Structures are given as C-alpha cells and as structure tokens.
Amino acid sequence: MTQQTKKQTLIFASIILFMLSCLTIFYFPIMLKEPLELKKSKPLNDTLGFDHVFVINLSYRLDRREDMQEIADFLGLDFDFFPAVTRFDRKLLNKYNLAGLSNAQKACYLSHYLIYKEIVKNGYKNALILEDDIDVEFEISRIVSDLSRALPDNWDIFYIAHYNYEKGEILAESGEFRLIKSTNPINTHGYAVSARGARKLIKDLDVYKPAYPIDVELTSRVHSGFVRSYSIDRTTMIQWKTYDNPSDIPDSRPPFERQELLNSTRRILGYKQMWDYD
C-alpha cells in the first residue's frame, strides 16, 4: 500500500468515526428519552378538554360504576368516581339540617356542592360533573371539543346535557349540535363548572337550608344572571332508564318520556332501555 493510499484510508476512517460520533451524540439521548415520554403521554380527549371529570357514584351502586367504566374505556375517557352522599347517612344530613328537602334530595344537593369545593381545593380551572346513570353521545369528544372553543373566558356553567331544547343566540355549531347562551337549563346529570363558577356557587348557595333541589337552585341563578351559563341545545347525554335500575332519588321529578341520542354509546355496547321491552 502506497503512502498516498494509506493517507486516503486514514482520512476515510476518520470521516466514518466522526459521523458515528455525531449520530451517537444526537440520537442516543433521544432513544433513551422517547420511551419515558411515551409512557407519560395520555389521550388528548380523555377528559373532554376539561381539567377533570367527576362521576357521582354511591359506593353500593357497583353496577352503575361498572357500566360507566365500560363507557369510559370504550370512548377513551378518564372518569374519577366521586363518593356520593347517601340518603341513609342521617348523621351527615342532620348536620346540615336541609329543611324542606327529602333525604335523597339533600344527599344529591350535598354531593354536587362538595364537588364544587373539590374543584377549588384542587386548583382545577374547570371540571365536568356527571351522574352515574347516563348514556353518552358516541361522538361526544368531537362535539364538546368543537363547541367549547367558542365558550367565553368568563363562563361559569356549561350544560352539555339537559332535557329541554333551549332557544337562544347561536355561538357555534358542530353538526346538529349548537352552543347557545343558556335560557332554561334543566337538571345536573352532565354539566361543567369553572373555578370561577364553583367559587360563586360555594359562596351563594345556602347549603344548610336551600329552597329547592340543586338542579332548580342552579337554574334560578342562571335566570337571575348570577352565573354565566351556556348550553348545548341538543343534549349529548341522557339518563338511562331501565326497570331494574331505579333512581336513587325516588322523590325526584325525572321525565320518563322516551329520549334518544343520535348515536347512543350504550346501544352500541348492547344495552337496552325500558321501552325496548314494551
């Protein structure tokens, strides 16, 4: 091998070593880091764009918890089951002495009120509150994602589920679903509360002696303008009615008329409602 050939070989080898060094420097840390990032990642829509999702569930209603967990798993959602106050907890209910309401209504009222306090305590910007007997629109993630973008920054309550169709100024649309300023929202089986709204409600609600059940109390504050509330005028959630799944608030006024979603998640999963057996 000539001196010139040796020199060329050394130069070539040096170039190869330099390139390998660069690859090691730039890519090896990435190879080590990537699995950690992937492990920590979560689906973008697992809380529907809210900081947290609470599901109010009585400890002895394991059937409802299992059903809701199946929905969560199917839709890729992350539900935090919040221990509901039971109407049989006389010691707690007597402590609050909620005059004028039945024990079941008192328990429901307190369950929602305690979640408002959890929102503030945990520093959440907002949270979605669900009851554990609901059916969910299959495309809930897309609908809520589309419409929540149009929410003003100072919103207090966002009803994504209610019984009646409201009439109001349309702020945004997503297919057949529209975001409007609330006019007459009804019930509490699927609604979001901002931190600002939670602080307002904690301060204003008379938890020791309320005039009405919690859903009516909230509606009255929407009517008065005390809270800034918005609604989806075609509901994305309904209460699921079956003969073997009685309400835990037997003295409430639930509408038993037939209700359907456009694309029911429970029906996709094979569930049936009471009228399916008629």
Side-chain angles (χ1 to χ4, degrees), residues 7-276:
K7 186 176 181 180
Q8 290 177 345
T9 302
L10 286 172
I11 293 172
F12 180 74
S14 298
I15 292 172
I16 295 298
L17 287 172
F18 176 74
M19 292 176 65
L20 289 173
S21 298
C22 290
L23 288 172
T24 302
I25 291 170
F26 288 107
Y27 287 99
F28 186 67
I30 294 174
M31 292 170 65
L32 289 177
K33 207 166 116 183
E34 187 174 19
L36 296 176
E37 290 180 344
L38 290 174
K39 186 177 180 181
K40 290 181 181 179
S41 66
K42 296 175 69 177
L44 293 177
N45 67 340
D46 63 350
T47 55
L48 295 175
F50 303 103
D51 274 11
H52 205 74
V53 180
F54 291 102
V55 178
I56 298 175
N57 172 251
L58 289 162
S59 60
Y60 57 83
R61 292 306 304 265
L62 296 178
D63 55 331
R64 288 189 175 183
R65 177 166 181 154
E66 290 172 0
D67 291 350
M68 290 296 291
Q69 188 60 58
E70 185 175 9
I71 290 174
D73 293 341
F74 185 66
L75 296 179
L77 301 177
D78 182 12
F79 289 168
D80 177 14
F81 291 90
F82 184 82
V85 177
T86 170
R87 68 180 187 270
F88 304 114
D89 190 345
R90 302 297 174 84
K91 183 177 179 181
L92 178 61
L93 298 183
N94 289 338
K95 173 185 174 182
Y96 285 94
N97 189 27
L98 304 183
L101 301 183
S102 69
N103 283 337
Q105 290 172 328
K106 294 177 185 180
C108 180
Y109 196 111
L110 280 175
S111 297
H112 285 267
Y113 182 84
L114 291 174
I115 288 183
Y116 306 153
K117 300 193 79 171
E118 283 293 306
I119 293 172
V120 175
K121 173 186 173 183
N122 289 289
Y124 297 137
K125 292 180 181 178
N126 49 59
L128 178 61
I129 304 171
L130 307 177
E131 293 178 349
D132 64 359
D133 60 345
I134 60 170
D135 185 16
V136 181
E137 183 68 37
F138 176 67
E139 294 190 350
I140 184 71
S141 294
R142 173 187 62 79
I143 297 164
V144 174
S145 175
D146 288 349
L147 298 181
S148 61
R149 292 193 189 101
L151 281 172
D153 292 337
N154 61 352
W155 67 274
D156 296 317
I157 299 178
F158 179 24
Y159 286 91
I160 66 175
H162 56 93
Y163 288 123
N164 66 322
Y165 288 69
E166 298 185 81
K167 303 297 181 184
E169 177 188 357
I170 300 172
L171 304 178
E173 297 186 17
S174 179
E176 298 190 41
F177 300 84
R178 303 180 299 177
L179 176 70
I180 65 169
K181 189 125 180 2
S182 299
T183 55
N184 191 40
I186 298 177
N187 81 63
T188 51
H189 59 266
Y191 69 111
V193 178
S194 69
R196 179 176 180 270
R199 285 191 292 268
K200 279 187 176 183
L201 293 173
I202 292 169
K203 183 177 180 180
D204 191 64
L205 290 173
D206 184 358
V207 70
Y208 292 96
K209 195 174 181 181
Y212 304 101
I214 186 63
D215 55 343
V216 180
E217 292 269 31
L218 296 184
T219 300
S220 70
R221 282 156 179 79
V222 172
H223 289 164
S224 69
F226 178 75
V227 294
R228 296 178 182 272
S229 178
Y230 299 84
S231 302
I232 298 178
D233 73 339
R234 178 165 193 146
T235 189
T236 61
M237 298 178 180
I238 61 172
Q239 289 179 297
W240 189 259
K241 300 299 180 184
T242 61
Y243 290 113
D244 60 351
N245 182 29
S247 172
D248 291 303
I249 310 178
D251 43 10
S252 62
R253 299 172 287 101
F256 286 98
E257 70 270 13
R258 179 168 181 156
Q259 294 183 332
E260 296 284 357
L261 298 173
L262 284 180
N263 297 287
S264 160
T265 297
R266 286 199 185 234
R267 289 195 180 281
I268 293 172
L269 291 172
Y271 290 78
K272 293 184 177 181
Q273 291 219 66
M274 59 171 61
W275 42 77
D276 293 325

